Amino acid sequence: MNSKQIRQTFLDFFAEKSHQIVPSAPMVLKDDPTLMFTNAGMNQFKEYFLGNSEPKNNRVADSQKCLRVSGKHNDLEEVGVDTYHHTMFEMLGNWSFGDYFKKEAIDWAWELLTEVYKIPKDHLYVTIFEGDDTEGLSRDTEAYDFWKQHIAEDRILNGNKKDNFWEMGAQGPCGPCSEIHVDIRSDKEKQEVDGATLVNMDHPQVIEIWNLVFMQFNRLADGSLENLPAQHVDTGMGFERLAMVLQGVKSNYDTDVFQPLIREIETITGHAYGKTEQEDIAIRVIADHVRAVSFSIADGQLPSNNGAGYVIRMILRRAIRYGFTYLDRKEPFIYQLVTTLSKQLGEAFPELKSQKNLILNVIKEEEISFLRTLENGLALLDSMIANLKSQGQDTLEGKKAFELNDTYGFPKELTRLILSEQQLKMDEEGFTAALKKQQESSRKASETETSDWVILGDDDTQEFIGYDKLDAKVRISKYRKITTKKDGDRYQLVFNMTPFYGESGGQTGDKGYIEGVNGDTVYIIDTKKENGQTVHITKNLPKELGGTFIVQVDQKQRFRTSANHTATHLLHQGLRKILGTHVEQKGSMVRSASLRFDFSHFSKVTIEELKQVEDFVNARIAEQLQLEENRNNTYEDAIKDGAIGLFGEKYGDVVRTIKFGSSYELCGGTHVKNTSDVWHFKITNESAVAAGIRRIEAITGDAVKDFFYDQSKHFEQIKALLKNAKEPVTAIQSLQEENSNLKKEIEELKKAKAGNLKQELIDSAEDINGVQFIASKTDLDAKSVKDLAFSIDKEITNLFLIIGSNAGDKATLTVIISKDLVDQKKLNAGQIVRELGKFIQGGGGGQPHFATAGGKNPAGIDQALQAARELLN
């Protein structure tokens, strides 16, 4: 059975059991502050488990793409080293939201595995929760009794809290779980060692294949447990592991899930899989990581320097580094695998096909960039190695190795490898200490203490009324306190209904206030969406929490934000009209002050094209197009009717569509009633975000008025400086030409001055113990000093030259030492200038032959020159 058939068989099986088959949610999460990525199949259903929303169907099944590289679930270090851990993987799952429970989950799991997939029953073991006295939890005898109807009792094993009690996080729904393990060892191995002793012992052929979680408790902030009002089932089966079992191989990488990628890597690199362990690990890492990165980019997450983007960049760089180090790949090649991946999984996940060119270009650009970083890192490491050897040392400080890794992105493993080739070592303990110090600092900065929700009302579903109203009479349903090091105490309030728009879809959350009957006013400083509910953030609580409150959205901010959101739709339409229909939205940020719009396009947008786009949007504003809104459209009908949806967004069965003329999009954000409310649209900047992704920043309304006022004011100031010239542009061009000519004259004067100084310095050379020592103080700029130093070096042997310069109120020291002195007397310009730099309250470095230092104390130059002389006495 191939992987495609395995996936479809699972979905068909549960469809027959009255489960709604739903598509995989995006792997990159947007409305859950506790997670960056979907790391389990249940993430997209979290709001149902928390009771924040009511599901339309109580039975659901799907194949969910997941990523586990950060936080509690982090498998990154195992990926590639073993044969069954992955960054990105598919999780086959079935769920019950208050419907069936343990019996059905167990019966159906057994039926599917043994009767449909035909896995021999004597290959399987199951585990149940053994209980925990500290929690007051008894053994899960209910699950045991259901299992013994299917499997011999000696194959039902007790599992501890770590393995058999599943928790969503430090707080929230949790419960006992029952794992199904499969033993795919040979008959001989099974006779020698009982499989039961290898369960949960990280044996590569005795592995967990399916986890059935029975959610029946809620974990409170103090660690205690309470019963949930409804019992749920959450199961997850590793698709790649299942394929390994059903295809009769001993490694996930030997299945048809990975083999097409591995064969392509072999072809591109010329390294065969199965020859050496280290090369095999590298090939597995690359095959795994290109999947994770490709799916993330398809879902809208580009590599970047922070947050989820940083994680994606880290994964890709790990793959590049393995190719660089172990497969001798010094040129980009991983991007070439995207075509194979798209052909392989494009039917199950259409986003891989539709976003193929973007994925390919982004990965290629990242490869080029990181290979350049590796090149720079090699140069820095070579300098460090030279310094080590010149000082007779054999160990690189851990702090320096960490700086190479943290500041320059140079991998620790590569540093260690290169050092070992030079018979040198790396201070592992020092590296670990530097890493821990940084992690601890980062952890403390982001540490959050979250209290339990205090429930004040029994409202099941919160109603959003903000499309029609900006004020309302509400009750507080629940609240909790959040404490962070950065913000201190904050409170999160949930109302039974709300006119406040919670941050989502690129639009920032509303601000406003809540007022009690006694006039007590609390300001709402932000609004977020979290697990299906709108959360209002305040610095303090109302004095009286019961009763009715008046809430009011900041009308001016909402209007400006809505105008900017409408402008993004018109901008999207304009870009597709002017640049082509290949343009797709890749992200946006809509605030009251401005808007930002990211889109796919292969080149810089020209000034002429930007003007055309600007004119297009303003023409739509002038047409006074009325908002056409449909809040009860179906996703299928909206797309069929021509509405544009965004990749990476999670859409429900019922969607809201927004139409202004022929601009037609799926959107949950707020908009103006008529395009004339936008007043005017002005592009302020266009730039690159990543390969194939451009960004436009723009303003509307009052911000445009302010912009034009500032421009007019600056123009008048410029005219005044030009003595009210009738033709300011011509006057400025004349000044630029005059300035250019003056610069040329100054350069000529500097060269003449340096030429005269050169002979003076050569004549001033004095012999100190066989070294021709020259020291001088000047006001020449750094470039002129460098040219002068190298010119003198060509004419004098055994030279030790130091020049101090105070050009521009800054101090610089330049040291050049003849290469023969570097070898014979072990003099090192880099080390010397670092020490001399202290006199000018600065620092520097360089090569043994040439080095510079900069500082803020020109008065120390004379001391530095004297100290240099004393080095030779």
Side-chain angles (χ1 to χ4, degrees), residues 613-630:
V613 171
E614 209 172 71
D615 289 345
F616 177 92
V617 175
N618 284 315
R620 304 293 81 74
I621 293 170
E623 286 174 8
Q624 301 183 25
L625 300 172
Q626 201 68 22
L627 166 65
E628 296 178 51
E629 176 192 24
N630 185 341

Side-chain angles (χ1 to χ4, degrees), residues 342-358:
S342 176
K343 288 178 182 176
Q344 183 188 358
L345 288 175
E347 186 176 337
F349 301 99
E351 61 269 30
L352 286 178
K353 279 187 176 179
S354 62
Q355 304 296 298
K356 174 187 162 187
N357 288 336
L358 173 65

Side-chain angles (χ1 to χ4, degrees), residues 471-649:
D471 61 356
K473 289 183 178 180
V474 305
R475 297 186 310 276
I476 299 175
S477 301
K478 57 183 179 179
Y479 71 90
R480 68 179 178 184
K481 185 167 80 170
I482 304 287
T483 304
T484 65
K485 185 174 182 180
K486 177 185 175 185
D487 297 325
D489 291 344
R490 293 285 188 269
Y491 293 90
Q492 295 183 337
L493 283 65
V494 175
F495 308 142
N496 63 317
M497 68 175 72
T498 181
F500 285 76
Y501 182 85
E503 181 179 336
S504 60
Q507 179 175 328
T508 55
D510 284 331
K511 293 178 172 63
Y513 64 84
I514 172 173
E515 183 179 320
V517 291
N518 57 0
D520 174 30
T521 300
V522 172
Y523 289 98
I524 295 171
I525 59 176
D526 202 359
T527 311
K528 304 281 189 182
K529 279 186 181 173
E530 182 175 329
N531 298 317
Q533 63 185 1
T534 301
V535 177
H536 310 78
I537 300 169
T538 66
K539 291 184 179 180
N540 52 316
L541 288 172
K543 292 174 184 174
E544 299 290 335
L545 292 168
T548 302
F549 296 85
I550 295 172
V551 292
Q552 175 69 57
V553 175
D554 183 327
Q555 296 185 38
K556 183 178 283 189
Q557 177 175 286
R558 165 68 83 84
F559 178 79
R560 289 171 172 172
T561 303
S562 297
N564 281 331
H565 202 149
T566 297
T568 64
H569 283 221
L570 301 179
L571 172 60
H572 192 188
Q573 183 189 15
L575 289 167
R576 289 171 64 85
K577 175 79 173 175
I578 307 303
L579 302 181
T581 54
H582 65 278
V583 168
E584 290 180 352
Q585 181 176 339
K586 293 299 174 187
S588 66
M589 174 61 74
V590 179
R591 300 176 292 182
S592 63
S594 62
L595 65 94
R596 189 182 76 205
F597 189 82
D598 297 343
F599 58 98
S600 55
H601 186 55
F602 45 81
S603 62
K604 179 177 175 60
V605 186
T606 66
I607 294 174
E608 291 78 13
E609 289 168 334
L610 289 173
K611 180 67 168 60
Q612 290 177 49
V613 171
E614 209 172 71
D615 289 345
F616 177 92
V617 175
N618 284 315
R620 304 293 81 74
I621 293 170
E623 286 174 8
Q624 301 183 25
L625 300 172
Q626 201 68 22
L627 166 65
E628 296 178 51
E629 176 192 24
N630 185 341
R631 299 180 191 173
N632 295 297
N633 214 339
T634 67
Y635 178 79
E636 291 76 13
D637 287 347
I639 295 298
K640 192 183 300 180
D641 198 31
I644 295 177
L646 305 183
F647 283 103
E649 288 292 335

